[in-house]
Amino acid sequence: MKKIFTVLVLLLAVSTMFFVVGCKKEEKGTVKIAVVGPHTGDLASYGIPTIKAAELVVADWNANGGVLGRQIELVIEDDVCKPEVAANSAAKVVGEGVVAVIGHICSGATKSAMGIYNEANIPAISPSATNPPLTQSGDYPNFFRTIASDDAQAATDAEFIAKTLGLKKVAVLHDKADYGKGFADFTVEALKGLGVETVLYEGITAGAVDYSAILTKIANSDAEAIVFGGYHPEASKLVQQMTQMGLDIPFVSDDGVKDDTFIKVAGEYAEGVYASGPMDTSANPMSQKATADHKAKYGEDPGAFFINAYAATIALLNAIEKADSTDGLEIMKALRSNYVDTPLGSISFDDKGDAIGVGFAVYQVQNGAYVEL
Amino acid sequence: MKYFLQLVLAGLTKGSIYALIALGYTMVYGIIKLINFAHGEIYMIGAFTALIVGGALQITTGLSPLTILAISLAAAIFFSSGYGVTMEKIAYKPLRNAPRLTALISAIGMSLILQNYVLLAQTSDFLPFRSMIPNFPFLTPGKSLVTTTQLVILITTVVVMVILTLLIKFTRTGKAMRATSQDKVMAQLVGIDINKVITFTFAVGSATAAIGGVLIANHTGQINFYIGFLAGIKAFVAAVLGGIGSIPGAVLGSLVLGMTESFGAGYISSAYEDVFAFIILILILIFKPSGLLGRNEIEKV
């Protein structure tokens, strides 16, 4: 009796699988675009706004007849920001026959996925992967981004430290991951050029319960500021423990910290923190429309990289239209040769894939919100 | 010299954080010889319970911070113990006579289930955990040395260690626990209800994890569903270092680990903090395989 029951359960499970597969049958005639990024896990707050941006743009275009006279379909895949998962997600969306990719979000994950897209000649536009070698190494001719690279960001931060704050000595910390360490290294380089000395340069363990030892070390060095390359969970622990220890020096960080989640988690301790992020585009009418659409549909302000993702999707659809083809190589050519109006302004892409016309600015937390300086 | 002292205090803080989690780990191992990998998750659930209860009380009532801390701590202990005991009943009790490896795998499964349960039932985001411990004014001048939360964690660790030692060494229940640990069959023959003893062990172990969860969340200022993992691993290392099964050993092991990390970060480089921690672990285990205070088990033939 028990055996029969087991067999029945197995049969049921197998038939359910068939049912699921059956449902996923291809809709003919749509142009498929993948959106890949962290949609669950610690860093989901960086990935979800991109889905929303792509959905809003695609809804607009579909209502106006789609692209090349076909409707656009989004294929959404989660890479949890992990390189090992990203390679699988990439292979999966390639297998589903996507024309292009919006993503990935984190630099490490993007790096591991790009080779797979490159083999299939699929262009990918990331709204947020800022690691410089992605474009500068020339390894990925199919990679584009609607955000300036880390060295541009590091140069902005370094200039801010040297000129605006007028400091001479800094301590540089990073979280030992691609993004954070890349930013830290470029900042050290840029600071050297401006005559600022890096008195201390160290990696910290992400997720550790306590950073008192390293903060004590900084307090005992003659550093006048801390530069941190990494994401908001560590940044908020660092600023909280700095305040509790009475270590009162400026904390300058990157785009991974310039997110409202940082302010939410760090609360009062976030006050006064400097972080660089993409330039404020709130005066751009297209950006205002995108934000208004987001508010109308989701009832809240858009999250991190929303505008960049919105611009990436517009640039991509525009390039498909201009190329008059869904062939990857044609789309890449069109991305490079045309300027397109986006919420970030009028942008195009250079030979390496970096956006022309996109830059960084430094922000500070004042009264619980980031204010551009 | 001041720098050295600061590093000692940073190491003490880190060590006592690890110790608070390691105590429960080591006690459960000591009694039923099971490495309870889900201990870190019980710690995380404790922190979440305190956040929910504390948050609700802060909004709805005007109680003083200390009262709120006490109530949320009690709630965290209650819920965590509940989870701990239920977990034992579901995942470990049916496997009591199975090979030890089976129970270990079951523990890993339990850990994943609890992590994902909190992820789905609560959120994947980091949540702010506002400190509920008011600052002691007398510590203000020395806050670069030790903060209020650090001091509270330090004292709590010592108190919990003393209470657990007294409980196991000098009470009737403690005697029953030791008997169960030595020989389950014989313990039953002399009239000890080993089910009750094991349930009690899990309840107490989970309660210490809950205390750890609440205090450490106060220190780090943020929690999410994943905090139990890294904390659990570090506490496990500390417990093994000190001799798993030994209560003072867990505290000693944690302090050695915390100090190593602190001095490693302070004098060499914080990038290699974990490397130093594990080098120490390997060295100690090479020379003393049962850990610092662990007893060598004599195999009777």
Side-chain angles (χ1 to χ4, degrees), chain B residues 97-156:
Chain B
N97 295 320
R100 261 199 227 170
L101 200 59
T102 319
L104 190 71
I105 301 293
S106 179
I108 293 175
M110 211 57 222
S111 155
L112 290 175
I113 290 173
L114 288 177
Q115 259 177 35
N116 285 286
Y117 158 67
V118 175
L119 166 71
L120 294 172
Q122 296 294 327
T123 168
S124 66
D125 287 347
F126 275 92
L127 298 171
F129 195 108
R130 296 284 162 261
S131 186
M132 300 173 183
I133 305 171
N135 277 321
F136 299 151
F138 71 88
L139 275 176
T140 313
K143 70 177 174 181
S144 67
L145 280 175
V146 59
T147 65
T148 306
T149 336
Q150 289 174 337
L151 190 69
V152 171
I153 291 177
L154 216 72
I155 294 170
T156 314

Side-chain angles (χ1 to χ4, degrees), chain A residues 6-90:
Chain A
T6 318
V7 171
L8 273 179
V9 169
L10 270 178
L11 271 179
L12 197 69
V14 171
S15 62
T16 321
M17 267 159 64
F18 275 117
F19 180 69
V20 172
V21 174
C23 278
K24 275 202 172 169
K25 212 174 158 192
E26 261 184 57
E27 277 176 65
K28 260 212 165 147
T30 57
V31 173
K32 286 189 181 176
I33 293 174
V35 181
V36 199
H39 304 145
T40 57
D42 290 2
L43 300 169
S45 63
Y46 293 117
I48 291 168
T50 295
I51 308 181
K52 292 182 175 165
E55 278 172 351
L56 287 172
V57 175
V58 165
D60 269 1
W61 279 62
N62 276 344
N64 293 324
V67 68
L68 305 174
R70 291 152 69 184
Q71 289 287 296
I72 307 152
E73 185 191 343
L74 292 177
V75 178
I76 292 163
E77 223 13 79
D78 187 5
D79 72 1
V80 228
C81 236
K82 290 187 175 146
E84 64 274 21
V85 182
N88 285 335
S89 321

Side-chain angles (χ1 to χ4, degrees), chain B residues 163-176:
Chain B
I163 291 179
L164 284 186
T165 313
L166 293 179
L167 175 81
I168 291 174
K169 284 233 164 103
F170 298 108
T171 63
R172 223 180 131 77
T173 327
K175 210 182 241 176

Side-chain angles (χ1 to χ4, degrees), chain A residues 11 52 80 99 110 178 181 215 245 257 310 314 354-355 363:
Chain A
L11 271 179
K52 292 182 175 165
V80 228
V99 168
T110 308
D178 272 357
K181 185 164 187 301
L215 290 174
M245 283 174 62
V257 173
Y310 201 93
I314 291 182
D354 274 319
Y363 295 77

Side-chain angles (χ1 to χ4, degrees), chain B residues 20-28 36 39 42-43 77 80-81 84-85 160 164 167 177 198-212:
Chain B
L20 219 39
I21 315 169
L23 279 169
Y25 239 122
T26 215
M27 192 181 82
V28 169
N36 180 14
H39 192 72
I42 297 291
Y43 149 86
I77 289 175
S80 287
S81 299
V85 169
V160 170
L164 284 186
L167 175 81
M177 285 162 92
I198 293 175
T199 304
F200 179 74
T201 309
F202 266 89
V204 175
S206 305
T208 61
I211 297 173

Side-chain angles (χ1 to χ4, degrees), chain A residues 105-126:
Chain A
I105 303 297
C106 299
S107 292
T110 308
K111 214 184 260 177
S112 93
M114 282 318 296
I116 296 166
Y117 298 136
N118 197 17
E119 273 170 29
N121 278 328
I122 292 176
I125 311 184
S126 170

